[in-house]
Amino acid sequence: MAFNFGAPSGTSGTSAATAAPAGGFGGFGTTTTSAGSAFSFSAPTNTGSTGLLGGTQNKGFGFGTGFGTSTGTGTGLGTGLGTGLGFGGFNTQPQQQQTTLGSLFSQPTQAPAQSNQLINTASALSAPTLLGDERDAILAKWNQLQAFWGTGKGYFNNNIPPVEFTQENPFCRFKAVGYSCMPNNKDEDGLVVLVFNKKEADIRSQQQQLVESLHKVLGGNQTLTVNVEGIKTLPDDQTEVVIYVVERSPNGTSRRVPATTLFAHFEQANIKTQLQQLGVTLSMTRTELSPAQIKQLLQNPPAGVDPIIWEQAKVDNPDSEKLIPVPMVGFKELLRRLKVQEQMTKQHQTRLDIISEDISELQKNQTTTMAKIAQYKRKLMDLSHRTLQVLIKQEIQRKSGYAIQADEEQLRVQLDTIQGELNAPTQFKGRLNELMSQIRMQNHFGAVKSEERYYIDADLLREIKQHLKQQQEGLSHLISIIKDDLEDIKLVEHGLSETIHSRGGVFS
């Protein structure tokens, strides 16, 4: 007899052709005889369980997204995407039973079949009775190797079909537990994820045509509007498009169609065919998990995962409020997560490059702004000087012909005091002379040159000359008035003295 080293191909296992494509995080022990679900965390219920996370038999773990079909469902969107459509399935058998949210977390219902599966597996690994001699021990070791690898068939009895070894079996060694972010969107947000087998550039260039095509898929109802929430690149040249549909009522109000209702419509057989023609390979809702669902998930380890490892994964969770443990079984799932991580790293690097460019542009703008500020400061200083000169000229014209007032006299006294202090040899004058000598030495040797030089404009110079000339004329006029007053005073004094002498002669 020959041993099969490849993938299992017997009739006892499930058919990969009828299984759903691998989802976002892999299913938890879903089977093909029960309704596939994103939240089916129970162990396999028959002898042919599908792949856990890495294989193509995998059900998508979509966090609040069901992937089982519900027979007899499906209503038109023209009546407002009615409720009660249930969760639909993607690439699942139409004769499967309807999966409701209550049955997503149900316990296994085929305990005897599961018990027989475990007994047969134990027999194949420990005590096969196929040949009846010492070769059965070699066969047992070979079966153990297949079980550790997670592939192949374990023959142990001539009258019983061989055991199908999958990566979900508890003896598979290629297992690990990672963490994934939990979505925080409500069902009322209406966010539905469509995975296209196209590149992001193609999706963005044909975004308007895509929106129109999706609107036709929804029946072309004028009260419905398809909106794109976001577009993100996925590994293997795939693109994730997040959409939501807005429904307008006749009275003018609008609301978002719930995510479960929209997803149930997309999961109808005819609608699913149209989406596949558009290039959609996977659809799921993006809604948050309820506390009961999270509790059910954490309490029941996924199929094939050791409870001790699962408990340790819950303890090691870096952020239990945002992250949830997810099993990784097989190299294919590990490769998928590696590709996703590389893709996110590229996106983060692209975002960092954009931020770096923005920072460089801001630095250039800052340099330009600082230069403009310095220019405006110089201009402000020049305008301040000119304004001061205008005020001085106006004040001189206003006070022309008036005598010096008391406040002006105080100001003159203060200026005379300052001038005296500056001329004092022991105070500021000595320091000023020392500074002047240092400045002359620096100018002589050329060690330091002034960075800024001020020049007086010709018009301003003429204004200064005119102002000084007017001031000099005012002083001359004031001096002439004082002289005239002195002469008048002398005449008055002379007249008084003569009057006094004449009166004295009369009395004598």
Side-chain angles (χ1 to χ4, degrees), residues 205-225:
S205 62
Q206 302 175 0
Q207 181 174 345
Q208 185 61 33
Q209 292 84 343
L210 175 62
V211 171
E212 295 176 357
S213 300
L214 292 176
H215 187 263
K216 292 180 180 179
V217 170
L218 296 176
N221 194 340
Q222 297 300 324
T223 61
L224 300 177
T225 305

Side-chain angles (χ1 to χ4, degrees), residues 72-388:
T73 61
T75 60
L77 283 178
T79 59
L81 292 169
T83 58
L85 296 179
F87 294 93
F90 211 92
N91 291 336
T92 54
Q93 297 295 335
Q95 66 271 16
Q96 292 173 344
Q97 61 182 2
Q98 182 177 3
T99 304
T100 61
L101 189 61
S103 63
L104 292 176
F105 298 93
S106 59
Q107 296 296 329
T109 59
Q110 299 181 3
Q114 184 178 4
S115 177
N116 293 334
Q117 172 74 9
L118 294 177
I119 293 174
N120 294 338
T121 302
S123 300
L125 297 179
S126 59
T129 59
L130 184 66
L131 303 175
D133 53 18
E134 65 277 0
R135 290 177 294 179
D136 288 337
I138 300 176
L139 181 60
K141 294 182 179 180
W142 172 247
N143 289 338
Q144 293 175 9
L145 181 61
Q146 292 186 100
F148 293 160
W149 187 261
T151 184
K153 296 181 180 180
Y155 293 89
F156 64 96
N157 194 299
N158 290 322
N159 299 324
I160 302 177
V163 176
E164 189 82 22
F165 291 120
T166 62
Q167 293 178 343
E168 286 82 6
N169 77 84
F171 302 99
C172 181
R173 297 296 180 89
F174 302 103
K175 296 178 183 178
V177 178
Y179 300 93
S180 298
C181 291
M182 293 186 293
N184 54 3
N185 303 104
K186 305 290 185 180
D187 185 39
E188 294 77 11
D189 296 335
L191 298 182
V192 174
V193 178
L194 300 178
V195 179
F196 289 83
N197 195 18
K198 298 179 181 179
K199 295 182 179 180
E200 181 183 3
D202 299 336
I203 295 294
R204 291 189 179 275
S205 62
Q206 302 175 0
Q207 181 174 345
Q208 185 61 33
Q209 292 84 343
L210 175 62
V211 171
E212 295 176 357
S213 300
L214 292 176
H215 187 263
K216 292 180 180 179
V217 170
L218 296 176
N221 194 340
Q222 297 300 324
T223 61
L224 300 177
T225 305
V226 179
N227 299 275
V228 177
E229 179 75 11
I231 300 176
K232 186 176 67 174
T233 302
L234 296 179
D236 301 329
D237 292 335
Q238 292 184 337
T239 304
E240 175 188 282
V241 180
V242 182
I243 65 170
Y244 64 91
V245 177
V246 177
E247 181 184 12
R248 297 188 304 274
S249 61
N251 58 4
T253 61
S254 61
R255 71 177 185 91
R256 289 193 181 187
V257 177
T260 53
T261 304
L262 182 60
F263 175 75
H265 179 78
F266 284 160
E267 288 303 290
Q268 298 179 22
N270 58 336
I271 302 299
K272 187 188 303 182
T273 304
Q274 298 179 25
L275 292 177
Q276 290 176 349
Q277 293 175 358
L278 294 176
V280 177
T281 59
L282 182 65
S283 63
M284 66 183 73
T285 59
R286 178 163 290 179
T287 54
E288 63 180 356
L289 293 173
S290 65
Q293 292 171 341
I294 297 176
K295 182 178 179 181
Q296 182 73 12
L297 169 64
L298 297 177
Q299 287 180 350
N300 299 314
V305 178
D306 191 284
I308 299 178
I309 298 178
W310 187 251
E311 291 296 329
Q312 186 63 35
K314 292 191 294 183
V315 174
D316 296 338
N317 192 344
D319 191 350
S320 59
E321 298 294 332
K322 297 181 180 180
L323 302 179
I324 191 170
V326 176
M328 296 182 294
V329 181
F331 293 105
K332 185 176 293 186
E333 174 63 17
L334 183 62
L335 178 62
R336 187 193 67 81
R337 291 182 69 91
L338 179 61
K339 289 182 178 179
V340 172
Q341 184 175 0
E342 290 178 349
Q343 187 67 35
M344 293 302 298
T345 302
K346 291 180 181 178
Q347 293 180 4
H348 292 165
Q349 186 62 43
T350 303
R351 176 57 59 184
L352 289 176
D353 294 339
I354 295 174
I355 294 175
S356 178
E357 293 176 359
D358 293 341
I359 291 176
S360 300
E361 187 67 22
L362 290 175
Q363 289 177 348
K364 293 180 180 178
N365 295 337
Q366 183 186 11
T367 304
T368 305
T369 304
M370 294 298 293
K372 288 183 179 180
I373 290 175
Q375 179 182 357
Y376 291 150
K377 284 182 177 180
R378 291 192 295 269
K379 188 175 181 180
L380 177 63
M381 185 180 297
D382 185 20
L383 293 176
S384 300
H385 291 167
R386 295 180 64 182
T387 303
L388 181 60

Side-chain angles (χ1 to χ4, degrees), residues 16-83:
T18 62
F25 302 102
F28 288 86
T30 57
T31 65
T32 58
T33 60
S34 62
S37 169
F39 302 107
S40 180
F41 305 118
S42 59
T45 58
N46 65 352
T47 58
S49 58
T50 61
L52 183 61
L53 270 166
T56 58
Q57 304 93 339
N58 213 354
K59 299 295 181 182
F61 182 65
F63 290 112
T65 305
F67 292 95
T69 57
S70 54
T71 60
T73 61
T75 60
L77 283 178
T79 59
L81 292 169
T83 58

